[in-house]
């Protein structure tokens, strides 16, 4: 995070426009580079505004919010009282700004404030929303518009611009007396901030070389020169020299050779196009030449990213039946924390859907006033109205992806409130809700994601046809409920409660039954029976334990079963902390809906994000041929060689605690079929999170590359305790590009750690 942690002296505290402070604070260099120094919204944000934080507990609290001169950090603190605790957040961590009462928090607790005074900041990762109310409509508008502009500018920055912006933000933090000059003491402070240990003698030598005025202060161009020297990339200079030769200039022909070695389009025409797009020097560009700066710009751009940029959009065949796709699926979607005492929230559905999730779970229970509620039954989790959940799904189902959303209903309601559920879905979702088989489609076969674009499907129990009331119901328990019953009986021997729940859930309302079309939840009939009598529109759910047992005992048969109908896997119901299981083993067996607790960060969610990265994050990924039509053809075996070269600008851990500089190492993990699962790591580098260099090659052999995910992890080595996580990035091997590539690291909860990167060389060879 870029924000400053140290509170300013009282005399320097930014003041609210309402307190007669007069003109704006001087914008920093970063805002000048963004072209926002004269912007009215930014000026107001720099001066600061009194905003109320709307929270469920303790009532609204007024705080002074100020944008800092770096154009990225917003600081806020208590306006009154003796103690002033300063907090901050980065604009780079904001995912969106919602105006008015457009969050669960403001709808519940913001009624006392006019809607036009209110707005919500939605953060990336797991940080909670920040619900705010300004003193007036004008102030709210300035903040909404200003933050939106800053987010747009930051998103549009190239990686070199982000690096430049980052270093100048650090400089501003290190410039303690705010005189726009850097003493050697301030330079040393800056080096610690950016996670690099530099010998005092070497640091002072570099300082003196840049101090052309000789006054023991760096300012203006001297500071720029110092930053340029810090940001040098010797490994890129060496690579450039290898292809450019002694003249240190790349011709179009030499660049073509580099592109060929990268596995790119190696035509002269493409090389000239790259020069026109990335070369900074006008004269060189006119002569089809590329200088070092242009070459670095190219390698740090999306064109030099390890992720195939064609895979950032939907590029797979979306016309095959649903059972031929992995489908991003959430378990206990309503929870924001653990399943025992966590908070239930409609915002959890919004976050899951915006993360590309296409199957969300609703645990539905009897509520007061005839209104069904969603929560984790028999626990202390809070309750939310079923109606409010459906409204959130309506509003966000198709903002991230146009492909169908499946509502997995775990139904514990009586007939009357089931009918209410059906009515709410019909009234709120309208035409989005699929209630009939598609016209012209065989009603017994599954349609494709393409055919179901913009549609919401209900997964639930269905009455036999034709249905008459006098017919007894043998068991209409949700398969998931049945398996949870079995587990609880095994684990806790709560037979009495189980039988009572089974009795209560043994009927289904005709209105709700009618909404189940392609995802009829049924008890698992056994593999032998299912393979003899396939029913594509029926689906069964398995606990992770049951799924593992099936994989172990009849893996090939389970693959065949999953080639013709859908199955859902979910975590064991007894995990108090909502931990996850490794989804890879379930994908290996062709299971489509491998449901995870999206609210629980960890390597399992990294794998889930990586799995669905390769098709535009649309929530549907086509399974490889060997899982769609088993036994299928033999796969192409590969040798994978990853040379881990360097890292850049790794974040400092626990910065507020004044922790030491990291000792980073890189681990590369392969997640795939059991024969392919392995991991290797580099040695650690002492005291350097700024530009550590390893130059170590890690090699792997892969039997089924189509299913493999590659996870790059950076950790801080500790000889006496567990290593600390620094950052990671996970992607499908099929979406990984060969050659020299940059990897943009993500935090534990999936947010960007920009400008932190790894620089690697990738080589694949058929065996």
């Amino acid at each position: 995070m870029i924000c400053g942690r140290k509170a300013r002296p009282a005399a320097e505290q930014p003041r609210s426009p309402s307190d007669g402070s007069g003109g704006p604070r001087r914008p920093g260099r970063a805002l000048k580079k963004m072209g926002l120094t004269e912007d009215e919204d930014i000026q107001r944000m720099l001066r600061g505004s009194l905003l109320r934080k709307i929270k469920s507990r303790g009532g609204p609290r007024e705080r002074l919010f100020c944008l800092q001169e770096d154009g990225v950090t917003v600081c806020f603190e208590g306006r009154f009282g003796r103690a002033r605790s300063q907090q901050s957040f980065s604009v780079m961590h904001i995912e969106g700004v919602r105006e008015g009462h457009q969050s669960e928090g403001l709808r519940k607790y913001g009624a006392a404030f006019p809607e036009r005074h209110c707005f919500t900041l939605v953060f990336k990762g797991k940080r909670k929303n920040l619900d705010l109310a300004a003193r007036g409509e004008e102030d709210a508008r300035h903040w909404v518009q200003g933050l939106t502009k800053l987010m747009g500018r930051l998103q549009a920055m190239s990686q070199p611009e982000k690096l430049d912006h980052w270093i100048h933000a650090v400089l501003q933090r290190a410039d303690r007396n705010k005189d726009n000059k850097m003493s050697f003491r301030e330079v040393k402070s800056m080096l610690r901030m950016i996670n690099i240990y530099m010998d005092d003698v070497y640091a002072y030598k570099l300082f003196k070389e840049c101090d052309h005025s000789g006054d023991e202060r760096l300012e203006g161009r001297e500071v720029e020169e110092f930053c340029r020297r810090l940001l040098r990339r010797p490994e890129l200079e060496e690579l450039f020299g290898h292809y450019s030769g002694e003249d240190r200039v790349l011709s179009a022909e030499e660049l073509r050779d580099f592109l060929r070695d990268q596995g790119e389009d190696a035509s002269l025409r493409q090389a000239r196009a790259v020069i026109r797009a990335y070369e900074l020097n006008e004269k060189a560009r006119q002569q089809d030449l590329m200088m070092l700066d242009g070459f670095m710009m190219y390698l740090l751009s999306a064109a030099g990213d390890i992720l195939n940029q064609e895979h950032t959009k939907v590029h797979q065949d979306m016309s095959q039946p649903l059972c031929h796709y992995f489908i991003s699926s959430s378990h206990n979607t309503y929870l924001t924390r653990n399943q025992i005492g966590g908070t239930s929230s409609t915002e959890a559905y919004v976050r899951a859907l915006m993360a590309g999730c296409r199957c969300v779970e609703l645990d539905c229970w009897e509520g007061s006033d005839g209104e069904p509620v969603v929560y984790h039954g028999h626990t202390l989790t809070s309750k939310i109205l079923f109606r409010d959940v459906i409204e959130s799904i309506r509003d966000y189902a198709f903002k991230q992806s146009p492909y169908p959303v499946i509502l997995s209903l775990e139904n514990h309601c009586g007939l009357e409130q089931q009918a209410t559920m059906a009515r709410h879905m019909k009234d709120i979702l309208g035409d989005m809700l699929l209630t009939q088989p598609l016209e012209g489609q065989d009603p017994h076969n599954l349609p494709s994601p393409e055919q179901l674009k913009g549609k919401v499907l209900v997964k639930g129990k269905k009455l036999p046809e034709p249905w008459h009331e006098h017919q007894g119901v043998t068991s209409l328990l949700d398969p998931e409920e049945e398996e949870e019953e079995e587990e609880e009986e095994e684990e806790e021997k709560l037979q009495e409660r189980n039988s009572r729940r089974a009795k209560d859930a043994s009927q289904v309302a005709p209105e709700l039954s009618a909404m189940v079309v392609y995802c009829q939840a049924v008890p698992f009939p056994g593999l032998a029976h299912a393979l003899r009598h396939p029913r594509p529109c029926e689906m069964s759910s398995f606990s992770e334990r049951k799924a593992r047992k099936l994989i172990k005992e009849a893996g090939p048969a389970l693959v065949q079963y999953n080639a013709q109908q859908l199955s859902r896997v979910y975590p064991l119901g007894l995990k108090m902390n909502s931990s996850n299981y490794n989804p890879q083993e379930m994908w290996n067996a062709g299971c489509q809906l491998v449901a995870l607790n999206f609210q629980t960060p960890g390597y399992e969610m990294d794998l889930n994000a990586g799995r669905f990265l390769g098709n535009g994050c649309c929530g549907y990924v086509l399974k490889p041929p060997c899982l769609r039509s088993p036994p299928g053809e033999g796969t192409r075996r590969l040798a994978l060689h990853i040379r881990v070269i360097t890292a850049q600008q790794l974040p400092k851990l626990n910065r507020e605690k004044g922790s030491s500089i990291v000792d980073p190492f890189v681990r590369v993990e392969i997640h795939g079929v059991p024969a392919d699962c392995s991991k290797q790591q580099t040695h650690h580098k002492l005291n350097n999170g700024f530009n550590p260099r390893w130059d170590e090659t890690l090699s792997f052999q892969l039997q089924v590359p189509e299913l493999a995910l590659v996870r790059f992890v950076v950790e801080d080595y500790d000889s006496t305790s567990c290593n600390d996580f620094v950052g990671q990035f996970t992607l499908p091997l099929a979406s990984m590009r060969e050659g020299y590539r940059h990897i943009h690291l993500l935090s534990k909860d999936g947010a960007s750690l920009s400008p932190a990167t790894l620089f690697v060389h990738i080589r694949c060879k058929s065996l």
Side-chain angles (χ1 to χ4, degrees), residues 206-218 222:
L206 186 61
F207 177 87
K208 290 300 289 180
E209 286 172 0
C210 298
D211 179 21
H212 300 296
S213 62
D215 64 352
E216 296 292 321
R217 296 283 189 279
L218 301 184
E222 295 172 337

